[in-house]
């Protein structure tokens, strides 16, 4: 009898969970906030084919900053790599999952970042998850910007170090936290290089000044910096000319550098070697398919040999920002190709994105919990591959939908 009751309770608990999830999902549907995934039926580019739409749509929401994801040269390189190295390795790196492209890319990324050594991960999320718990302990303090990416937040949570926050780019709060944590063994300042929802660039010079004054380490996640800002697209530390003052950089191969998958950590040789020996997301994750490092090497070559890529990206960003400002939209100021168009109300932001789809402009609305309550927005992302005409079409589409919804006059 007792065993039967326990079985009924377990069954009820499962039913309760499923019922609760179904109810919450239905609520999102009713509120117009359900995140729908659109099936793209073409390569990733400035024009994409989407299931359910008869005509191609202009894509203004990809992390494809340099336009390399569907580039014919990149695709050709991937095909060559398949012939030379195969599709996948069915192994982690330390068993039989290391090929020459992995090692070549690690060396190349170290040169690119101006740091001593680099280790590849399946993603930047995996890199951030595997970083903090490997290096830091209960006697340490990690001081994190309040707007840091979810992967940094989760990586820091996995670590046993004490955790502290400072308001976005607020150097006074950061200094107060550094003063508070002087009794800890190590103090680690953690920040995005570019904050992904706002396009705001971190104040790295002042962060490094404070780190040196209080003997702290600096960790920068530059996922949205590399290939988007800085000389030759070398990212946020290079944007400020302070590569030698940042201790650890994490980054991704899944945005500007080909847009596929993969992440990395660059830093001192000793740091990277210890991560190879102890980082769980490295040791227990399959090696990257060899075509990924091969293509990334090609992307880095393009960055350093074709200055027009970064110039086109900058020009397109300026063109869009100027046109939208003239129409009266509320933008978060900046120079990055992430351009948040602030709407405020979550339902209206979703309606706005749906209206733009009907105009042939593919963008997505962002609302809580991705951004704070009351700060819903359309996050526009420019690419070096966008033409001036495409940018103008996007501005015109925003204007038409904005007037129809009463967002602008």
């Amino acid at each position: 009898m007792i065993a039967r009751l326990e079985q009924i309770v377990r069954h009820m608990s499962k039913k309760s969970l499923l019922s609760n999830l179904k109810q919450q999902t239905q609520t999102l549907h009713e509120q117009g906030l359900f995140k729908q995934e659109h099936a793209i039926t073409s390569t990733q580019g400035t024009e994409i084919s989407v299931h359910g739409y008869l005509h191609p749509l202009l894509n203004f929401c990809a992390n494809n900053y340099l336009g390399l994801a569907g580039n014919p040269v990149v695709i050709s390189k991937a095909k060559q790599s398949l012939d030379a190295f195969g599709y996948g390795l069915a192994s982690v790196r330390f068993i039989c999952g290391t090929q020459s492209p992995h090692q070549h890319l690690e060396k190349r990324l170290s040169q690119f970042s101006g740091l001593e050594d680099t280790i590849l991960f399946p993603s930047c999320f995996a890199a951030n998850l595997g970083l903090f718990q490997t290096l830091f302990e209960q006697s340490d303090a990690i001081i994190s910007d309040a707007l840091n990416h979810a992967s940094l937040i989760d990586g820091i949570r996995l670590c046993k170090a004490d955790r502290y926050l400072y308001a976005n780019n607020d150097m006074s709060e950061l200094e107060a936290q550094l003063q508070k944590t002087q009794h800890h063994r190590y103090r680690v300042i953690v920040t995005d290089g570019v904050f992904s929802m706002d396009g705001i660039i971190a104040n790295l010079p002042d962060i490094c000044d404070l780190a040196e004054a209080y003997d702290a380490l600096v960790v920068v996640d530059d996922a949205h910096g590399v290939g988007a800002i800085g000389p030759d697209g070398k990212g946020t530390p290079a944007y400020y000319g302070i590569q030698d003052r940042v201790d650890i950089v994490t980054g991704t191969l899944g945005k500007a550098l080909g847009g596929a998958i993969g992440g990395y950590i660059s830093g001192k040789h000793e740091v990277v070697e210890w991560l190879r020996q102890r980082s769980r997301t490295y040791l227990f994750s399959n090696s990257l398919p060899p075509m990924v490092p091969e293509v990334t090497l090609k992307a880095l070559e393009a960055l350093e040999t074709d200055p027009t890529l970064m110039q086109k990206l900058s020009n397109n960003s300026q063109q869009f920002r100027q046109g939208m400002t003239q129409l009266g939209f509320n933008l978060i100021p900046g120079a990055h190709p992430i351009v948040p168009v602030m709407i405020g109300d979550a339902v209206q932001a979703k309606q706005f994105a749906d209206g733009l789809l009907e105009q042939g402009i593919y963008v997505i609305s962002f609302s809580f919990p991705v951004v704070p309550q009351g700060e819903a927005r359309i996050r526009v992302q420019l690419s070096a591959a966008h033409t001036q005409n495409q940018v103008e079409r996007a501005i015109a589409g925003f204007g038409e939908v904005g007037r129809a919804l009463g967002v602008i006059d």
Side-chain angles (χ1 to χ4, degrees):
M1 175 63 73
I2 293 175
R4 176 58 180 160
L5 287 173
E6 288 176 346
Q7 184 181 21
I8 292 171
V9 169
R10 283 197 299 271
H11 181 64
M12 287 177 62
S13 297
K14 182 169 71 172
K15 286 181 66 176
S16 176
L17 170 65
L18 297 177
S19 175
N20 185 38
L21 293 176
K22 181 177 181 181
Q23 182 179 355
Q24 291 186 65
T25 303
Q26 182 61 36
T27 300
L28 290 177
H29 272 291
E30 293 170 355
Q31 292 175 342
L33 298 176
F34 187 79
K35 294 177 179 63
Q36 180 182 358
E37 296 179 0
H38 300 275
I40 297 173
T41 58
S42 64
T43 59
Q44 183 72 275
T46 58
E47 286 196 4
I48 54 175
S49 298
V50 177
H51 180 72
Y53 291 84
L54 297 178
H55 303 289
L57 305 176
L58 290 181
N59 186 4
F60 278 89
C61 61
N63 298 313
N64 188 23
Y65 294 119
L66 300 176
L68 298 178
N71 184 288
V73 174
V74 165
I75 293 172
S76 175
K77 186 64 178 178
K79 290 177 179 177
Q80 292 173 24
S81 178
L82 281 170
D83 291 335
F85 295 102
Y87 170 64
L89 292 166
S91 174
V92 299
R93 285 286 298 272
F94 80 94
I95 301 178
C96 58
T98 297
Q99 291 178 318
S100 55
H102 301 95
Q103 294 178 326
H104 291 161
L105 179 58
E106 287 172 337
K107 182 177 180 180
R108 187 71 181 83
L109 284 169
S110 300
Q111 295 169 347
F112 188 76
S113 65
L115 295 167
E116 287 182 6
D117 207 350
T118 297
I119 176 173
L120 293 175
F121 284 81
S123 66
C124 190
F125 208 115
N128 287 337
L129 289 183
L131 174 64
F132 300 100
Q133 62 177 321
T134 308
L135 298 180
F136 305 112
E137 301 175 357
Q138 287 175 320
S139 57
D140 303 322
I142 298 179
I143 308 169
S144 177
D145 190 291
L147 292 189
N148 276 343
H149 190 265
S151 60
L152 288 174
I153 294 170
D154 287 355
I156 293 168
R157 283 174 176 166
L158 286 174
C159 176
K160 294 181 180 179
D162 289 341
R163 302 187 294 271
Y164 300 84
L165 286 179
Y166 64 96
N168 180 234
N169 263 347
D170 189 322
M171 296 300 103
S172 295
E173 280 199 22
L174 173 56
E175 183 167 21
Q177 299 290 34
L178 286 166
Q179 291 170 347
K180 184 190 298 185
T181 55
Q182 284 299 289
H183 62 285
H184 288 79
R185 182 184 65 157
Y186 303 134
R187 289 151 304 286
V188 189
I189 304 169
V190 182
T191 182
D192 281 352
V194 177
F195 297 94
S196 60
M197 286 298 116
D198 299 86
I200 295 170
I201 301 172
N203 184 1
L204 289 189
D206 285 359
I207 289 172
C208 289
D209 286 346
L210 287 170
E212 290 162 10
Y214 290 92
D215 190 27
L217 296 163
V218 176
V219 176
V220 177
D221 178 340
D222 214 21
H224 287 275
V226 170
I229 60 172
D232 295 331
K234 290 184 178 180
T236 313
Y239 175 81
Y240 290 114
I242 57 170
Q243 299 97 309
D244 59 336
R245 300 178 67 192
V246 173
D247 298 289
I248 296 173
V249 171
T250 70
T252 182
L253 316 180
K255 293 181 171 56
L257 301 181
I261 192 172
Y264 62 91
I265 297 174
S266 296
K268 292 290 187 183
H269 178 71
E270 296 85 352
V271 170
V272 170
E273 279 301 289
W274 187 244
L275 290 169
R276 286 193 196 280
Q277 300 305 312
R278 289 291 187 269
S279 179
R280 293 167 69 85
T281 52
Y282 177 80
L283 291 170
F284 298 102
S285 294
N286 254 23
S287 179
L288 285 172
M291 75 180 85
V292 173
E294 284 276 271
V295 164
T296 307
L297 287 164
K298 197 70 177 176
L300 292 171
E301 178 186 326
L303 264 176
E304 293 191 329
T305 59
D306 185 2
T308 65
L309 284 174
M310 293 299 296
Q311 189 59 57
K312 288 178 182 176
L313 180 60
S314 176
N315 291 345
N316 287 340
S317 302
Q318 291 177 24
Q319 180 186 354
F320 185 79
R321 285 181 179 276
Q322 290 171 0
M324 293 290 285
T325 300
Q326 289 171 0
L327 286 175
F329 282 100
N330 177 22
L331 310 181
I332 293 181
H336 193 273
I338 291 174
V339 186
V341 182
M342 304 304 292
I343 306 299
D345 179 72
V347 174
Q348 189 174 47
K350 178 69 165 53
Q351 293 170 344
F352 204 118
D354 291 342
L356 284 167
L357 275 173
E358 298 305 317
Q359 293 287 324
I361 310 297
Y362 187 86
V363 291
I364 301 297
S365 64
F366 291 82
S367 57
F368 183 82
V370 181
V371 297
Q373 291 275 17
E375 295 185 18
R377 66 198 65 182
I378 308 292
R379 185 182 69 172
V380 176
Q381 291 169 276
L382 283 302
S383 168
H386 284 125
T387 66
Q388 289 185 349
N389 179 259
Q390 288 174 334
V391 176
E392 284 301 323
R393 285 170 59 189
I395 294 169
F398 266 91
E400 186 161 338
V401 176
R403 285 185 287 269
L405 292 177
V407 175
I408 59 172
D409 294 331

